[in-house]
Amino acid sequence: MAQKVLGKVTHYYDHLGVAVVKLGKGAGLKKGEKVQFKGGSTDFAQEVGSLQVDHKDVEKVKAGDDFGVKVDKPVKDGDQVLAAQ
């Protein structure tokens, strides 16, 4: 079964360990859910511990939102964000 694509990384702040993600149509994400970051050299899953929209902590994000998420490992622009299995 194919994993659901939630969105993609649009920027990565390596000094903060934070990825900016654009959520796709029909997608939503809440703190505590597991996601997988997947790209050319990226492939890891993690639980979402923090979400920020406009530098404010939020509990969930909805389709079309741009948000920041703390990541466990470096990611690259264009990496996909998938619902982890």
Side-chain angles (χ1 to χ4, degrees), residues 9-50:
V9 175
T10 58
H11 193 74
Y12 175 62
Y13 295 98
D14 58 350
H15 61 291
L16 297 172
V18 170
V20 177
V21 176
K22 173 77 169 180
L23 217 51
K25 286 184 179 177
L29 188 62
K30 295 185 284 198
K31 281 185 184 178
E33 291 184 336
K34 281 196 81 167
V35 294
Q36 182 172 2
F37 291 90
K38 196 167 182 90
S41 60
T42 309
D43 190 0
F44 68 94
Q46 73 170 60
E47 187 175 298
V48 175
S50 70

